[in-house]
Amino acid sequence: MSFIATANPPVTGAELPVDNDPWFPEVDPEALRKTCRLDGTVTPDRLKHTLLHALDSVNRELDAYRQARLAEGYASLADVPCRTLDGGSVQVARYHRAVYACVQADLSEAYRDIDTTPHSEGKSDRIKARIEAKADEHRRAMRWAISDLLGIRRTTVELI
């Protein structure tokens, strides 16, 4: 038995897919919730707001790629030739991974002020550091997914 209460997600079918640039695939909020394990703490309105920001952010980064593929005659990301996994385009999977990671990073940052644990000396700093590290991990996952989609190397540079 768990003593941690989690809010239930919205009723199935209550959240409609969010309109996206027609060249990119649509993103289903219910699939996003299941994949990213988002419970009802993230309300449908907040999820939609965050998802719109993520779509805008990822789509802007991929705009030159989109324009180049359109010039080559591909009507959508799903039409771009690539390997398939589980019957679907790897490029579409990478796109979804980038959008999902962006959503998770934004939500991690938005909810960093929520703390239900008892306060003790240094505890709030440790919790804040963990939340910031988690957001950074999601941003890294987003960057890697975009790099993979563009076919460029992943590069991590750290100043010493």
Side-chain angles (χ1 to χ4, degrees):
M1 173 157 69
S2 173
F3 292 103
I4 299 173
T6 57
N8 291 325
V11 176
T12 301
E15 293 178 293
L16 300 173
V18 175
D19 286 336
N20 195 2
D21 179 297
W23 195 82
F24 292 107
E26 74 177 16
V27 177
D28 180 8
E30 290 179 8
L32 177 101
R33 276 189 191 279
K34 284 186 355 187
T35 301
C36 299
R37 295 183 349 199
L38 301 176
D39 63 16
T41 306
V42 180
T43 65
D45 290 337
R46 180 165 285 210
L47 182 60
K48 183 174 182 174
H49 173 78
T50 306
L51 180 53
L52 287 171
H53 172 267
L55 291 171
D56 178 53
S57 181
V58 172
N59 290 355
R60 276 187 294 116
E61 290 204 40
L62 296 173
D63 192 54
Y65 176 84
R66 179 185 65 84
Q67 289 180 18
R69 300 301 81 80
L70 275 169
E72 293 171 359
Y74 301 111
S76 70
L77 179 61
D79 294 336
V80 175
C82 66
R83 291 178 302 135
T84 60
L85 292 174
D86 197 28
S89 163
V90 170
Q91 293 294 67
V92 170
R94 290 171 177 159
Y95 177 81
H96 281 127
R97 188 175 41 168
V99 171
Y100 288 10
C102 187
V103 166
Q104 289 178 290
D106 286 350
L107 289 173
S108 294
E109 291 169 348
Y111 283 102
R112 97 173 80 201
D113 61 339
I114 297 175
D115 182 6
T116 58
T117 58
H119 292 282
S120 63
E121 190 169 328
K123 189 166 200 168
S124 63
D125 290 337
R126 289 192 308 271
I127 291 169
K128 184 179 174 186
R130 276 195 309 226
I131 291 171
E132 287 175 358
K134 194 67 169 168
D136 289 345
E137 289 174 19
H138 292 306
R139 293 266 179 237
R140 184 201 70 229
M142 179 185 88
R143 299 265 28 104
W144 285 5
I146 290 172
S147 293
D148 292 347
L149 197 149
L150 295 173
I152 59 176
R153 290 178 173 245
R154 301 175 181 178
T155 304
T156 303
V157 178
E158 187 173 325
L159 295 175
I160 300 174

